[in-house]
Amino acid sequence: MNSEQWRAVDDYLNDLVIGPDEALDAAVASVAAQGLPPIAVPPTHGKLLNLISRIHGARRVLEIGTLAGYSTIWLGRALPADGELITLEADEKHARIASANIGRAGLADRVEVRVGLALDTLPTLTGPFDLFFIDADKQHNPEYFEWALRLSRPGSVIIVDNVVRGGGVVDAASTDPAIVGTRRLGALIAGEPRVSATMVQTVSGKSYDGFCLAVVN
Ligand code: SAH
Ligand code: DHB
Ligand code: MG
């Protein structure tokens, strides 16, 4: 087993269950063309977000960490016509590129990109949201999770990306802020009676990582 094989299987699965998609492909292309970091969720995970949101019947969705709007488009497409998605992004350039991609996907009427540090914009929001996707700077994941809880209702779904970090999450001595934040999130969730959660390891063409899926009791 190696990353080349993971990539080959990922390509095969992407072709099977997703295939070409003008708006999504344009969003992916914009990441490379504009020099953004290649850290959007892989296509199969984007579709998983979309399916979870549809299964859940989410009408109000909050995303933390927009980048070029790739995951945003997957989540936005799951919304009913009168649904709403707010996505928080610190970087003005990312937000501008994302807004163009979201517009191209025909979702401008239900998706709003808010520019600013998430810890500054979160206190301005009014809940409840039905579903949260937390995917920004990993060191603040415990704070973002607490905010999601505050803006939730019983039954709300909270998904956190990147909880494995190439396996680095098991290094209790790590001083990497992303690992420290991820481990703090794990401890928070383990001791949080208000949620039921699981964490799943994933491999893709891109990386070895994982996600957390939680429901508010
Ligand atoms: N969810 C996207 C990827 C997000 S990458 C996708 O899968 O398509 C993480 C993003 O979080 C980056 O665009 C980065 O600029 C943003 N970010 C980092 N720190 C942040 C903060 N403190 N507040 C808001 N956004 C932040
Ligand atoms: C990073 C962030 C992500 O959201 C991701 O999916 C992969 C890597 C990062 O900041 O390194
Ligand atoms: Mg991520």
Side-chain angles (χ1 to χ4, degrees):
M1 233 181 7
N2 56 52
S3 60
E4 240 169 72
Q5 192 174 28
W6 296 342
R7 182 180 300 279
V9 172
D10 217 35
D11 290 346
Y12 169 75
L13 298 178
N14 289 339
D15 284 348
L16 277 183
V17 300
I18 297 159
D21 182 300
E22 212 178 307
L24 290 171
D25 295 346
V28 169
S30 75
V31 169
Q34 310 281 339
L36 272 47
I39 55 175
V41 293
T44 51
H45 295 199
K47 188 156 185 184
L48 179 65
L49 292 171
N50 176 278
L51 295 176
I52 291 171
S53 194
R54 285 169 59 193
I55 291 165
H56 187 47
R59 307 182 74 82
R60 288 196 85 218
V61 173
L62 178 62
E63 177 178 68
I64 308 178
T66 317
L67 193 67
Y70 182 79
S71 55
T72 319
I73 292 170
W74 275 115
L75 285 166
R77 284 180 177 174
L79 289 172
D82 62 345
E84 178 191 20
L85 188 163
I86 297 174
T87 182
L88 310 180
E89 174 54 54
D91 188 305
E92 274 187 41
K93 178 181 166 189
H94 296 185
R96 193 164 10 89
I97 293 164
S99 295
N101 288 329
I102 291 159
R104 191 186 291 109
L107 294 167
D109 61 334
R110 59 202 92 161
V111 175
E112 185 192 338
V113 184
R114 292 229 184 138
V115 184
L117 294 174
L119 288 178
D120 293 335
T121 46
L122 280 162
T124 69
L125 300 176
T126 307
F129 291 89
D130 305 309
L131 184 144
F132 301 83
F133 180 49
I134 299 174
D135 190 25
D137 54 318
K138 311 310 168 191
Q139 80 243 36
H140 289 124
N141 270 349
E143 287 73 27
Y144 297 151
F145 196 87
E146 293 279 16
W147 268 107
L149 271 176
R150 217 167 285 154
L151 295 168
S152 73
R153 56 160 173 85
S156 291
V157 168
I158 306 174
I159 302 164
V160 188
D161 197 22
N162 310 117
V163 297
V164 172
R165 309 281 310 175
V169 70
V170 296
D171 182 3
S174 176
T175 55
D176 174 349
I179 298 291
V180 174
T182 303
R183 289 182 60 85
R184 275 204 302 134
L185 174 73
L188 170 73
I189 288 173
E192 176 52 75
R194 287 176 292 174
V195 299
S196 302
T198 190
M199 300 205 190
V200 177
Q201 303 189 67
T202 58
V203 295
S204 70
K206 199 179 72 168
S207 63
Y208 165 39
D209 217 313
F211 63 88
C212 169
L213 174 65
V215 64
V216 180
N217 295 319

